[in-house]
Amino acid sequence: MYVYRYSEKPERLYEIISGSFMHLRYYLLDITYRLVCNVSMKKSEHTRDFIIETAAPVFNKHGYEGTSLADVLEYTGLTKGAIYHYFENKDELALAALEYNLNMVTKFVFSAINRKTGSCDKLSVFAETFRNNYDSMRKIGGCPLMNAAIDSDDGNVLIKNRVNRSIDFWQNTLKTIIENGKSDNEISPSVDAEGLSMNLFSLIEGGLALSKVRDEKRFLDHAVELVLTLVEGIKVK
């Protein structure tokens, strides 16, 4: 810290004081700038999240190819310029909406799976969770993975690639659960983990698809009951 000496000229003291105030001024300006930028960034992130969360069920109901930018504008209440400020084009927004929809399903299914300890219980609750949440998914247009899979079959390559990654993820998840069950002597060692994981996943997605088309939950109910029967049959006796 500087200490003024009486032998120094008054002009020197003025320089010191002026310099200190100048540093303080720059410091305060820097703090203000950082605060403004931080608020602006948070507002920007909030707006982008709002667009995705609002557009996600629209894309899920009307399709990733069928949903127009006009549909998004109607539901969000924003201008075209505001949308394009956060997303380069409709495809980028569609992909973000799909990611949001898939993550939503993944979270509630994994939440149920993680509450179970045994492998067979995990496989059973995987199927039961889709049945228990059927009405909630129906309100947003059905299972996001199934909808995107059908919608992207001959369309958007980015959507199709994301769907394929999600299918691989769920199949590998179920396969790992089965293999862990075999290692823990809970599931019969003769069980084909890869084949069974494909069958379980296909049953649930097929049940969801038919239930949506026919508007009858019984298709999913029967698929879930078959999964539970299969799981009971692979247990070590």
Side-chain angles (χ1 to χ4, degrees):
M1 183 179 71
Y2 173 77
V3 178
Y4 175 69
R5 296 180 178 81
Y6 288 104
S7 59
E8 293 187 86
K9 295 181 180 180
E11 290 81 359
R12 173 58 179 159
L13 177 60
Y14 174 78
E15 291 175 3
I16 297 298
I17 294 174
S18 298
S20 298
F21 276 117
M22 187 64 70
H23 283 299
L24 178 60
R25 180 187 177 192
Y26 285 133
Y27 175 76
L28 291 175
L29 285 173
D30 181 62
I31 292 296
T32 303
Y33 174 77
R34 290 174 184 271
L35 288 173
V36 170
C37 288
N38 191 40
V39 170
S40 177
M41 287 177 64
K42 286 184 177 179
K43 183 179 179 180
S44 177
E45 290 171 1
H46 175 75
T47 303
R48 189 177 190 279
D49 290 343
F50 166 75
I51 295 172
I52 294 173
E53 291 170 14
T54 306
V58 180
F59 277 104
N60 196 47
K61 287 179 180 179
H62 302 296
Y64 294 88
E65 294 297 322
T67 299
S68 66
L69 185 60
D71 294 326
V72 176
L73 298 180
E74 179 183 351
Y75 281 90
T76 59
L78 299 175
T79 64
K80 185 184 294 186
I83 300 296
Y84 283 134
H85 176 74
Y86 296 98
F87 302 94
E88 185 176 346
N89 48 45
K90 195 195 85 170
D91 287 345
E92 185 179 340
L93 174 57
L95 192 62
L98 175 59
E99 193 72 39
Y100 177 87
N101 287 328
L102 293 177
N103 287 340
M104 177 185 63
V105 174
T106 299
K107 284 178 182 177
F108 72 69
V109 175
F110 257 91
S111 177
I113 289 176
N114 290 334
R115 287 196 292 268
K116 302 296 181 179
T117 54
S119 294
C120 288
D121 288 340
K122 288 179 182 291
L123 295 174
S124 296
V125 81
F126 164 80
E128 291 172 334
T129 301
F130 281 97
R131 177 164 62 181
N132 296 339
N133 289 275
Y134 175 77
D135 290 333
S136 297
M137 284 197 293
R138 186 169 175 270
K139 290 178 182 178
I140 64 167
C143 175
L145 178 59
M146 177 199 67
N147 290 345
I150 296 172
D151 190 43
S152 67
D153 185 37
D154 297 309
N156 192 309
V157 176
L158 294 175
I159 297 293
K160 187 173 183 177
N161 289 340
R162 182 61 186 88
V163 167
N164 280 323
R165 290 201 304 274
S166 187
I167 292 173
D168 290 339
F169 168 78
W170 280 115
Q171 185 185 337
N172 289 332
T173 296
L174 295 174
K175 181 181 176 182
T176 299
I177 292 173
I178 295 168
E179 289 175 339
N180 288 340
K182 292 170 69 174
S183 299
D184 295 337
N185 200 36
E186 182 185 351
I187 294 176
S188 173
S190 62
V191 171
D192 176 8
E194 183 170 3
L196 181 59
S197 64
M198 292 174 65
N199 289 337
L200 298 182
F201 185 68
S202 298
L203 278 169
I204 296 303
E205 287 299 321
L208 286 167
L210 291 173
S211 289
K212 180 183 179 181
V213 172
R214 295 293 296 271
D215 198 21
E216 296 180 67
K217 189 184 175 184
R218 65 190 181 96
F219 289 95
L220 177 61
D221 287 334
H222 285 296
V224 172
E225 290 304 319
L226 181 52
V227 168
L228 298 180
T229 299
L230 290 173
V231 171
E232 188 64 31
I234 63 175
K235 293 180 179 179
V236 173
K237 308 303 181 184

